[in-house]
Amino acid sequence: MLEELSDHIMDIAMNSVRAGARHVSVSVQSDVARDRLTIAISDDGAGMSEDTLKAVVDPFYSTKAGKKVGLGIPLLKGAAEMCDGTFQVRSTLGRGTEIEATFVLHHPDLPPLGDVKETMFLLSVSNPEIRFSFRCDVDGKEFLLDTGEMRDVLGGVPINHPEVVAYLRRYVEGHG
Ligand SMILES: Nc1ncnc2c1ncn2[C@@H]1O[C@H](COP(=O)(O)OP(=O)(O)O)[C@@H](O)[C@H]1O
Ligand SMILES: [Mg+2]
């Protein structure tokens, strides 16, 4: 098991990066009334064939060169199911992929959330050419970050420029 939900988010979002996505959306939302935590990650990357899609929940399937096990998707599925949640992957070759995992919010096995904002920061600055749309709305605290909107304001200055990284760092720490 990965220890924190933010580790799962990093793994699933890196699949999107590897699939050549130009735009990756990540949302993490808690709904106390419905006792649910929902993590949704979608991308406009290469997508998966129906065969790959079927195999992808199998922990021994991976298209990574030299690697015999792919664990990112099965681990998130396992974590969601352990918390009486649900797991869904939708994917279309050439169009993209959507993954949604839900967890029972009060479940004793619910992994800690981890530092989701840090994960979002790291994904953004290490993949400056990709637009990330992040939304984290947990415990009544909402955090939004859209690197596409930032790019419009920056006018050609890359998201990994040291001053932009410093700005982003302050923003994720809540004093931007
Ligand atoms: N967003 C995605 N777009 C296209 N293919 C994907 C995506 N996510 C996963 N895959 C495919 O599913 C396989 C398994 O993914 P995963 O379980 O995370 O293991 P790993 O990333 O270690 O291969 C990947 O190797 C890739 O072929
Ligand atoms: Mg993976």
Side-chain angles (χ1 to χ4, degrees), residues 15 18-19 43 48 56 62-64 67 70-74 97:
N15 287 345
R18 239 176 269 116
D43 69 60
M48 290 177 248
V56 105
S62 173
T63 54
K64 268 191 214 161
K67 190 165 170 288
L71 282 176
I73 290 176
T97 300

Side-chain angles (χ1 to χ4, degrees), residues 15-16 19-24 41-49 53 89-99:
N15 287 345
S16 301
R22 311 300 309 156
H23 186 193
V24 181
I41 298 166
S42 62
D43 69 60
D44 60 357
M48 290 177 248
S49 68
L53 194 53
V89 188
R90 267 180 257 117
S91 189
T92 310
L93 208 53
R95 297 287 294 267
T97 300
E98 293 172 26
I99 293 186

Side-chain angles (χ1 to χ4, degrees), residues 138-172:
V138 175
D139 295 337
K141 278 172 273 169
E142 192 180 45
F143 172 80
L144 295 169
L145 174 64
D146 189 321
T147 61
E149 284 172 9
M150 284 189 65
R151 199 180 304 165
D152 295 342
V153 177
L154 288 167
V157 179
I159 214 111
N160 58 352
H161 183 287
E163 281 178 34
V164 181
V165 173
Y167 166 81
L168 260 177
R169 170 53 72 202
R170 290 194 300 275
Y171 179 70
V172 301

Side-chain angles (χ1 to χ4, degrees), residues 2-60:
L2 298 180
E3 275 171 31
E4 299 183 325
L5 294 174
S6 57
D7 298 326
H8 288 283
I9 292 168
M10 177 61 93
D11 195 292
I12 301 298
M14 283 307 294
N15 287 345
S16 301
V17 170
R18 239 176 269 116
R22 311 300 309 156
H23 186 193
V24 181
S25 299
V26 179
S27 105
V28 185
Q29 272 179 286
S30 69
D31 183 336
V32 175
R34 297 169 83 183
D35 198 22
R36 285 274 146 173
L37 180 82
T38 303
I39 297 175
I41 298 166
S42 62
D43 69 60
D44 60 357
M48 290 177 248
S49 68
E50 279 184 38
D51 284 350
T52 303
L53 194 53
K54 276 192 212 119
V56 105
V57 288
D58 172 350
F60 297 100

Side-chain angles (χ1 to χ4, degrees), residues 82-151:
M82 191 185 281
C83 296
D84 297 331
T86 60
F87 184 80
Q88 235 183 35
V89 188
R90 267 180 257 117
S91 189
T92 310
L93 208 53
R95 297 287 294 267
T97 300
E98 293 172 26
I99 293 186
E100 187 192 82
T102 73
F103 302 76
V104 168
L105 196 54
H106 83 265
H107 200 284
D109 293 325
L110 184 73
L113 191 56
D115 195 343
V116 176
K117 292 199 286 184
E118 177 69 11
T119 300
M120 293 174 173
F121 167 81
L122 289 172
L123 281 165
S124 301
V125 302
S126 53
N127 302 283
E129 69 293 347
I130 298 176
R131 175 183 177 187
F132 288 95
S133 302
F134 294 118
R135 175 169 183 214
C136 184
D137 190 353
V138 175
D139 295 337
K141 278 172 273 169
E142 192 180 45
F143 172 80
L144 295 169
L145 174 64
D146 189 321
T147 61
E149 284 172 9
M150 284 189 65
R151 199 180 304 165

